[in-house]
Amino acid sequence: MMHLNAFVMPNGHHEAAWRHPTTDPHRARTLQHYVDIARTAERGKLDSLFLADGVALWGNVKHNSHSHFEPLTLLSALAASTVHIGLIATASTTYNEPYHLARKFASLDHLSGGRAGWNIVTSAGIDEARNFNLAKRPAHAARYDRAEEFVEVVKKLWDSWDDDAALVDRETGVYADTERIRPIAHDGEHFQVRGPLNIERPPQGHPLLVQAGSSETGKEYAARHAEAVFTAQQTFAEGKAFYDDVKGRLAKYGRTPDEIKILPGISPILGRTEAEAREREAELNALITPDYGLRQLSKMLDHDVTGYPLDGPLPDVGSFTEGGQSRFELVVGLARREDLTIRQLLERLAGGRGHRVFAGTPVQVADELEAWFTGGAADGFNVMPPTLPGGLDDFVDLVVPELRRRGLFRTEYSGTTLREHYSLARPVNRNRVTNPAKSRPTPSAAHNRCYEAIRP
């Protein structure tokens, strides 16, 4: 089965979505807006819901809405309003500490009954660095070096409790077997963390680990740590090459290809006919504010392009950035390959910031998804509705039934956890103390029985 994740932005993924008559930027600042979106995704039996994040004011707020809630806070609220949908939050390894994030994601996993996922980012923005006592951002390689150790520490903390450490024995007065709760005593280059974590092992063992970098360093990092990869690929050939590349790196880490799911982003603009879909795309693009797009493009490229003619070519922006390297290469490659003017490039990026935008009928969209899936370029897709909530309603009501008709997507959830949705095994505790005399059912099983009784 294909895997589908709903990538949620406040008003939708098109940068002019907030100006479109089908959206309500004021409602995007309310919890109910996101509850409705999450329930729509769950109604469609999608695997998960994903929130991006950054720790600075993104882009140019003069020309776009920026009602971005802190993801873990919002997803904790959505956990109480949903039953099955996975809940994936973005959090940075550059501007956090391992203990904080290990605890927060373990908490979300417990509160949701095993539906938490962590999208691991290293934060490429200069503005983010300046919010954390730094004059400039750390170099790309340095960010990933810290991220390597960061994730290892988090995993150790999640494994600092055995699954059966909590005895909850009322008769003897023993709540936990302290022999099964251990400090991690980590002493590394970036972190010194004693542990253990102050919350029991998550129901999933480890919340799902997601990664979105597609640079050489990012792909190697994904091969070692990630269980799902959100990526931006413009063509089938590029998608297939990325898919084979990442999957081909797994063996050296003792992993098999089915242990990681590759989900390219796609922003589907739907119409009853192809012409209607194109009209809707043009309608959105007509609402673009060039000043906003130029500033966004300048950030992607680490090069100021605001003074160049809109109808001229993209200027020489070099061949390297310490920012987001994979997105830099994608944008420059797109502009050069298709000989786009800056104005044309802004329109191509407005719908998905480098992710693929596809305008067509539900059948045509399903055709594209099926071709990538069956052709070995994707295990599923990161669905990026151009407007919200309407764009997700359209996808769930029109495209999902077509995928089901072709036998490509589930009709019902077969499990209760995010790992089960993605057909991924629950990680074994690497630090478990083996003592058959004390063997008990795992807390996750008991936890799920309890959760089933109280969930909405």
Side-chain angles (χ1 to χ4, degrees), residues 16 43 45 55 58 76 105 110 129 165 214-215 254 278 285 298 301 311 324 364 376-377 389 409 426:
R43 175 167 60 81
K45 316 302 180 188
V55 286
W58 285 355
S76 294
F105 279 101
H110 279 285
S214 300
S215 65
R278 296 290 182 189
N285 285 342
S298 296
L301 300 178
D311 294 312
Q364 288 174 323
F409 192 64
R426 186 176 187 271

Short mmCIF file of all heavy atoms in Angstrom, two decimals, residues 16 43 45 55 58 76 105 110 129 165 214-215 254 278 285 298 301 311 324 364 376-377 389 409 426:
data_model
loop_
_atom_site.label_atom_id
_atom_site.label_comp_id
_atom_site.label_asym_id
_atom_site.label_seq_id
_atom_site.Cartn_x
_atom_site.Cartn_y
_atom_site.Cartn_z
N ALA A 16 0.20 32.38 -1.86
CA ALA A 16 -0.89 33.35 -1.89
C ALA A 16 -2.20 32.75 -1.38
O ALA A 16 -3.26 33.36 -1.54
CB ALA A 16 -1.09 33.87 -3.31
N ARG A 43 -10.28 10.86 8.30
CA ARG A 43 -11.40 10.32 7.53
C ARG A 43 -10.91 9.66 6.24
O ARG A 43 -11.45 8.64 5.79
CB ARG A 43 -12.39 11.45 7.21
CG ARG A 43 -13.54 11.05 6.31
CD ARG A 43 -14.62 12.13 6.29
NE ARG A 43 -14.13 13.42 5.82
CZ ARG A 43 -13.98 13.75 4.55
NH1 ARG A 43 -14.26 12.85 3.61
NH2 ARG A 43 -13.56 14.95 4.20
N LYS A 45 -8.14 8.15 6.04
CA LYS A 45 -7.25 7.06 6.48
C LYS A 45 -5.79 7.33 6.12
O LYS A 45 -5.00 6.40 5.90
CB LYS A 45 -7.67 5.69 5.91
CG LYS A 45 -9.16 5.41 5.99
CD LYS A 45 -9.70 5.47 7.39
CE LYS A 45 -11.20 5.17 7.40
NZ LYS A 45 -11.82 5.41 8.72
N VAL A 55 12.43 28.47 13.98
CA VAL A 55 12.49 29.26 15.21
C VAL A 55 12.88 30.70 14.92
O VAL A 55 13.67 31.32 15.63
CB VAL A 55 13.42 28.61 16.26
CG1 VAL A 55 12.75 27.39 16.87
CG2 VAL A 55 14.75 28.21 15.63
N TRP A 58 9.42 33.59 9.59
CA TRP A 58 9.75 33.19 8.23
C TRP A 58 9.40 34.28 7.23
O TRP A 58 8.39 34.96 7.36
CB TRP A 58 8.95 31.94 7.85
CG TRP A 58 9.45 30.67 8.46
CD1 TRP A 58 10.56 30.52 9.24
CD2 TRP A 58 8.84 29.39 8.37
NE1 TRP A 58 10.69 29.21 9.62
CE2 TRP A 58 9.64 28.50 9.11
CE3 TRP A 58 7.71 28.91 7.73
CZ2 TRP A 58 9.34 27.14 9.23
CZ3 TRP A 58 7.40 27.56 7.85
CH2 TRP A 58 8.21 26.69 8.59
N SER A 76 -0.23 17.97 20.49
CA SER A 76 -0.75 17.44 21.75
C SER A 76 -2.25 17.71 21.86
O SER A 76 -3.02 16.87 22.32
CB SER A 76 -0.01 18.05 22.94
OG SER A 76 1.34 17.64 22.95
N PHE A 105 8.83 14.36 23.02
CA PHE A 105 8.28 13.39 22.07
C PHE A 105 7.80 12.12 22.77
O PHE A 105 6.81 11.50 22.34
CB PHE A 105 9.30 13.07 20.99
CG PHE A 105 9.34 14.09 19.90
CD1 PHE A 105 10.34 15.06 19.87
CD2 PHE A 105 8.37 14.12 18.91
CE1 PHE A 105 10.36 16.03 18.87
CE2 PHE A 105 8.39 15.08 17.91
CZ PHE A 105 9.38 16.04 17.88
N HIS A 110 3.03 8.99 24.45
CA HIS A 110 2.15 8.45 25.48
C HIS A 110 0.75 9.04 25.38
O HIS A 110 -0.26 8.32 25.42
CB HIS A 110 2.72 8.72 26.87
CG HIS A 110 3.79 7.76 27.29
ND1 HIS A 110 3.52 6.46 27.68
CD2 HIS A 110 5.14 7.89 27.37
CE1 HIS A 110 4.65 5.84 27.99
NE2 HIS A 110 5.65 6.69 27.82
N ALA A 129 19.67 31.43 13.84
CA ALA A 129 20.90 31.51 14.65
C ALA A 129 20.90 32.77 15.52
O ALA A 129 21.32 32.73 16.68
CB ALA A 129 22.12 31.49 13.73
N ALA A 165 9.66 -1.86 33.03
CA ALA A 165 10.24 -1.30 34.27
C ALA A 165 9.16 -0.87 35.26
O ALA A 165 9.36 -0.96 36.48
CB ALA A 165 11.13 -0.11 33.93
N SER A 214 18.16 16.54 1.67
CA SER A 214 18.50 15.73 0.50
C SER A 214 19.89 16.01 -0.03
O SER A 214 20.23 15.60 -1.14
CB SER A 214 17.46 15.95 -0.61
OG SER A 214 16.18 15.59 -0.18
N SER A 215 20.71 16.73 0.74
CA SER A 215 22.11 16.91 0.37
C SER A 215 22.84 15.58 0.56
O SER A 215 22.28 14.62 1.10
CB SER A 215 22.75 17.98 1.25
OG SER A 215 22.79 17.54 2.61
N GLY A 254 23.34 -1.86 8.38
CA GLY A 254 22.61 -3.04 8.83
C GLY A 254 21.11 -2.92 8.67
O GLY A 254 20.34 -3.58 9.38
N ARG A 278 -6.08 23.94 -14.40
CA ARG A 278 -5.13 24.97 -14.84
C ARG A 278 -5.64 26.36 -14.50
O ARG A 278 -4.87 27.25 -14.13
CB ARG A 278 -4.90 24.85 -16.34
CG ARG A 278 -4.26 23.56 -16.78
CD ARG A 278 -2.81 23.47 -16.37
NE ARG A 278 -2.18 22.25 -16.84
CZ ARG A 278 -0.98 21.84 -16.48
NH1 ARG A 278 -0.29 22.58 -15.62
NH2 ARG A 278 -0.47 20.72 -16.93
N ASN A 285 -1.82 31.82 -8.79
CA ASN A 285 -0.60 32.52 -9.18
C ASN A 285 -0.83 34.01 -9.41
O ASN A 285 0.07 34.83 -9.22
CB ASN A 285 0.01 31.88 -10.43
CG ASN A 285 0.70 30.57 -10.13
OD1 ASN A 285 1.03 30.28 -8.98
ND2 ASN A 285 0.92 29.76 -11.15
N SER A 298 15.50 34.65 -2.40
CA SER A 298 16.80 35.10 -1.90
C SER A 298 17.25 34.26 -0.72
O SER A 298 18.44 33.93 -0.59
CB SER A 298 16.73 36.58 -1.52
OG SER A 298 16.46 37.40 -2.64
N LEU A 301 18.38 30.78 -1.87
CA LEU A 301 19.63 30.77 -2.62
C LEU A 301 20.79 31.38 -1.84
O LEU A 301 21.94 31.32 -2.30
CB LEU A 301 19.45 31.54 -3.93
CG LEU A 301 18.39 31.00 -4.89
CD1 LEU A 301 18.28 31.89 -6.11
CD2 LEU A 301 18.71 29.57 -5.30
N ASP A 311 11.67 39.72 -15.47
CA ASP A 311 11.57 38.99 -16.74
C ASP A 311 12.93 38.67 -17.34
O ASP A 311 13.03 38.30 -18.53
CB ASP A 311 10.72 39.79 -17.72
CG ASP A 311 9.27 39.90 -17.25
OD1 ASP A 311 8.70 38.85 -16.89
OD2 ASP A 311 8.74 41.02 -17.21
N GLY A 324 20.36 25.59 3.15
CA GLY A 324 19.75 24.34 2.69
C GLY A 324 20.32 23.94 1.35
O GLY A 324 19.90 24.44 0.30
N GLN A 364 -6.01 12.08 -13.18
CA GLN A 364 -4.65 12.42 -13.60
C GLN A 364 -3.69 12.47 -12.42
O GLN A 364 -2.54 12.02 -12.52
CB GLN A 364 -4.66 13.76 -14.34
CG GLN A 364 -5.29 13.69 -15.72
CD GLN A 364 -5.41 15.05 -16.37
OE1 GLN A 364 -5.69 16.06 -15.70
NE2 GLN A 364 -5.21 15.11 -17.68
N GLY A 376 8.95 2.72 -8.62
CA GLY A 376 10.08 2.68 -7.70
C GLY A 376 10.72 4.01 -7.44
O GLY A 376 11.92 4.09 -7.15
N ALA A 377 9.93 5.10 -7.50
CA ALA A 377 10.45 6.43 -7.18
C ALA A 377 9.88 6.95 -5.86
O ALA A 377 10.28 8.03 -5.41
CB ALA A 377 10.13 7.42 -8.29
N PRO A 389 -8.87 24.66 4.42
CA PRO A 389 -9.01 23.20 4.41
C PRO A 389 -9.46 22.59 3.09
O PRO A 389 -9.43 21.37 2.93
CB PRO A 389 -10.07 22.98 5.49
CG PRO A 389 -10.93 24.19 5.42
CD PRO A 389 -10.01 25.34 5.10
N PHE A 409 -4.33 2.00 -1.92
CA PHE A 409 -4.37 2.66 -0.62
C PHE A 409 -5.42 2.00 0.27
O PHE A 409 -6.44 1.49 -0.22
CB PHE A 409 -4.68 4.16 -0.78
CG PHE A 409 -4.47 4.95 0.48
CD1 PHE A 409 -3.20 5.07 1.03
CD2 PHE A 409 -5.53 5.55 1.13
CE1 PHE A 409 -2.99 5.78 2.20
CE2 PHE A 409 -5.34 6.28 2.29
CZ PHE A 409 -4.06 6.39 2.83
N ARG A 426 8.60 -2.06 15.82
CA ARG A 426 8.89 -1.35 17.06
C ARG A 426 10.33 -1.65 17.46
O ARG A 426 10.72 -2.82 17.57
CB ARG A 426 7.94 -1.81 18.16
CG ARG A 426 8.04 -1.04 19.47
CD ARG A 426 6.96 -1.53 20.43
NE ARG A 426 6.92 -0.71 21.63
CZ ARG A 426 7.63 -0.94 22.74
NH1 ARG A 426 8.46 -1.99 22.75
NH2 ARG A 426 7.53 -0.15 23.78
#
